[in-house]
Amino acid sequence: MKKTEEILAYRDRDGQEIKIPAVTFTGDSAGPHAVITAGVHGCEYPPIIAAAEFCRTCKLEDVRGTITVVTISALNSFEKRTPFVCPVDGKNPNRFFPGDESGSYTECLTYHLFHDIISKGDYHIDLHCGDMTETLAPFCEFGTGFSVEVDQKSREIALYSGMPNLVESNFRDGGGDLPEGLGYMNSVRYGIPAAIVEVGQMGRTDRDYVEGHLFCIRNVLRRFGNLSGQAVPTATPSWFTTYDSVYAPATGIFLRCVEAGEDVVSGQKIGVIEDYFGNPIAEATAHSAGRILYLTSSIAVQKDGFLLDMVLKS
Ligand SMILES: [Zn+2]
C-alpha cells in the first residue's frame, strides 16, 4: 500500500521547464490502473479542486490496483491564469495529443502526459468544465471505434460518470466532426477506454460543480474495481451521437436568448448580434433540433467564430 506525490519535470526543446503534479495510489490487492487527468485547461477550476480533494481524502485501504491522478495537467496555464491555451506557445493542449517530444511547449507537455502517464493506464477519465467564457450543461463524451471491449468500457465510464447528457463519439467516423488531438479520443485510438467529463463553467468554483466531478471520480473508480463501495449508474441519461455547431454570422456584441441544457427546434433564434453602436446586424439561429450542450458566455464574437454546440438525439 503506497501513496506518492511527485512533480514530474521535463524541458521542452527551448529549455522551458514543464512540470506535471501527479499522485499515485497503489493498493495491496490487484486491480486495474486508472488514470485521471484534470487541469488540461488551467482555468477550469472545479476539476482541479475535485482531483486535489480526491487525493487528499482517498484512503489507501479502499484502493485496489493503481490510481494515478494528475491534478493540474497544464500547470503553466494554471499559474499564469491563461484560459484555453498554454501561454508559452499559445496552443490548446486538448488539440495536441499524443504530442511530440521535440515539438513546441504544449506538444512536449502532451507527449509526456500521454506517454509517461495516460498510456500506462487501463482506462482514462479526463475532467474538464466550461472555460472562462463558456457555459455548459453537464455532460460526458465517450470515445468509441477501437474494439467492442474498449467501446463498452468507454460507455461504462459515461454511464457511471453521474452526468445526465452522454455523447458517443466514434473516431472512425471522424468523431462527429470533433477536432483533432483531443486527449480522451487519443486514448481510445490507442486502445485505452476513455471519456471526457464536463461540469462547471466560467471560472467559478461552485460546490455543486466540484461535487459533480468528485462523484464521477469515485463512482467510476468503484465501477472498475479500483475503489471499494457500490457504484450506481445514471438512472435516465439522455444519449446523443451527433453534434451540430452554430457560428457567428457577424462580428459584434452577442446577446444570447438561450441557455445551456435547453432543447431548441430548427430555425429557433439563438441570439442577436449588434454592431458596436447597439444596432442589431444579424440573428443567429439553430439549423437543427437538439439540445444545447455548451455555448459561449462571452458577448464578444467574431464572424464565423464559435457560438454553441448542440447535440442531436440518437
Ligand atoms: Zn477543457
Side-chain angles (χ1 to χ4, degrees):
M1 240 174 14
K2 193 169 65 165
K3 176 184 179 182
T4 58
E5 296 172 347
E6 58 186 333
I7 305 266
L8 305 175
Y10 308 94
R11 290 205 181 267
D12 75 0
R13 64 187 180 194
D14 300 317
Q16 287 267 4
E17 190 171 44
I18 294 171
K19 294 188 290 183
I20 303 176
V23 183
T24 299
F25 299 87
T26 310
D28 273 344
S29 46
H33 184 167
V35 175
I36 296 162
T37 48
V40 167
H41 291 129
C43 289
E44 296 178 359
Y45 298 143
I48 293 170
I49 295 169
E53 184 170 332
F54 171 77
C55 291
R56 189 174 67 246
T57 55
C58 179
K59 294 189 177 70
L60 264 176
E61 55 268 30
D62 294 337
V63 173
R64 284 193 292 268
T66 304
I67 303 168
T68 300
V69 182
V70 179
T71 51
I72 313 177
S73 301
L75 189 58
N76 186 264
S77 305
F78 176 79
E79 290 179 338
K80 298 291 193 306
R81 299 177 182 165
T82 309
F84 299 108
V85 299
C86 282
V88 179
D89 58 5
K91 288 178 178 167
N92 178 348
N94 209 26
R95 299 291 181 274
F96 285 94
F97 283 90
D100 177 358
E101 190 175 18
S102 56
S104 68
Y105 185 91
T106 300
E107 295 166 272
C108 188
L109 165 66
T110 52
Y111 174 88
H112 288 295
L113 277 170
F114 181 67
H115 288 87
D116 299 348
I117 301 170
I118 298 167
S119 70
K120 309 273 195 277
D122 295 309
Y123 63 101
H124 172 212
I125 313 169
D126 193 23
L127 305 175
H128 286 249
C129 67
D131 215 317
M132 288 295 193
T133 57
E134 291 172 333
T135 173
L136 58 75
F139 69 96
C140 177
E141 193 174 281
F142 60 101
T144 57
F146 186 84
S147 69
V148 172
E149 190 193 358
V150 168
D151 293 1
Q152 179 55 29
K153 286 185 175 167
S154 292
R155 191 172 284 106
E156 282 201 16
I157 297 173
L159 187 58
Y160 285 79
S161 67
M163 300 299 119
N165 299 298
L166 309 181
V167 188
E168 175 175 0
S169 290
N170 186 310
F171 74 78
R172 291 194 191 283
D173 63 14
D177 287 334
L178 287 174
E180 288 292 307
L182 288 167
Y184 85 96
M185 196 57 103
N186 175 69
S187 297
V188 175
R189 282 177 190 275
Y190 281 83
I192 302 163
I196 185 171
V197 172
E198 302 256 9
V199 51
Q201 55 193 348
M202 298 188 287
R204 284 161 49 178
T205 57
D206 302 29
R207 189 62 198 168
D208 280 3
Y209 303 156
V210 176
E211 293 281 359
H213 285 284
L214 271 172
F215 177 88
C216 170
I217 294 169
R218 292 173 177 144
N219 202 50
V220 174
L221 288 173
R222 286 179 183 131
R223 175 62 184 172
F224 283 80
N226 281 110
L227 209 57
S228 58
Q230 187 67 35
V232 285
T234 301
T236 51
S238 300
W239 297 89
F240 302 94
T241 50
T242 313
Y243 272 102
D244 196 11
S245 303
V246 177
Y247 298 94
T251 295
I253 303 167
F254 173 54
L255 302 173
R256 71 177 190 270
C257 55
V258 294
E259 292 300 331
E262 203 172 318
D263 289 329
V264 296
V265 297
S266 181
Q268 186 171 331
K269 187 165 134 186
I270 298 300
V272 170
I273 295 173
E274 297 177 347
D275 65 16
Y276 297 146
F277 307 102
N279 303 302
I281 49 172
E283 216 171 70
T285 54
H287 22 77
S288 41
R291 181 166 300 169
I292 296 172
L293 217 49
Y294 63 98
L295 70 159
T296 177
S297 59
S298 171
I299 62 166
V301 295
Q302 299 285 314
K303 182 170 168 43
D304 299 326
F306 173 81
L307 285 185
L308 65 84
D309 259 344
M310 51 193 288
V311 278
L312 315 182
K313 284 272 183 191
S314 24

